[in-house]
Amino acid sequence: MSKFGELIDLNIPVLLDFYTEWNEDSKTMNPVLREVAASMGNKVKVIKIDVDKNSQLAEALRVKTLPTLMIYKSGEMKWRQSGEQDAATLVGILKEYV
C-alpha cells in the first residue's frame, strides 16, 4: 500500500486503470489509454493496475466493475468512473487537474 501512496502523491494528475487481462472492456481501453498518454505527454501519468495481481488494493478501493478509472492528484482522489470511456472525455477531465 505504501507504494500505491507514492504513485498517487504526485503533483500531476495520475490516471489509474484497474483492469484484468481477461476482461473484454478492459482490453478495449488499451488503445484509449495510449491515446490519452500520447495526448497529455508528461502533464499526466497513466498507470494500469491488474486487479488479479493487486486484489488487496482493488478491494480496499472497492473496485467492483472493470475497467474502473480513477484520477488522483497530490494523494487525493479527484474523479472515479467505472466502464469504458473515450479518449476525448478522459483528456477533458484530466485537463481540469493539470
Side-chain angles (χ1 to χ4, degrees):
M1 232 18 148
S2 64
K3 188 175 182 183
F4 177 73
E6 293 170 19
L7 287 176
I8 63 169
D9 199 27
L10 299 175
N11 290 327
I12 61 171
V14 178
L15 173 62
L16 303 176
D17 170 34
F18 287 85
Y19 77 101
T20 62
E21 295 291 336
W22 50 265
N23 180 273
E24 289 302 317
D25 291 340
S26 292
K27 289 178 188 177
T28 61
M29 285 302 298
N30 288 335
V32 172
L33 294 171
R34 281 193 295 272
E35 185 179 335
V36 169
S39 174
M40 297 297 292
N42 62 359
K43 295 177 186 168
V44 303
K45 188 159 186 80
V46 177
I47 300 171
K48 295 177 63 63
I49 299 175
D50 188 333
V51 172
D52 289 335
K53 295 177 183 171
N54 298 280
S55 58
Q56 285 183 312
L57 176 60
E59 189 176 312
L61 293 172
R62 296 185 176 105
V63 173
K64 304 280 188 222
T65 306
L66 298 175
T68 293
L69 303 165
M70 299 177 194
I71 297 173
Y72 279 84
K73 185 173 181 184
S74 301
E76 183 180 334
M77 184 188 300
K78 301 293 188 180
W79 178 86
R80 177 182 176 142
Q81 185 72 43
S82 294
E84 295 178 55
Q85 303 291 316
D86 62 79
T89 299
L90 290 172
V91 167
I93 295 166
L94 284 163
K95 284 183 176 178
E96 293 178 32
Y97 303 109
V98 174

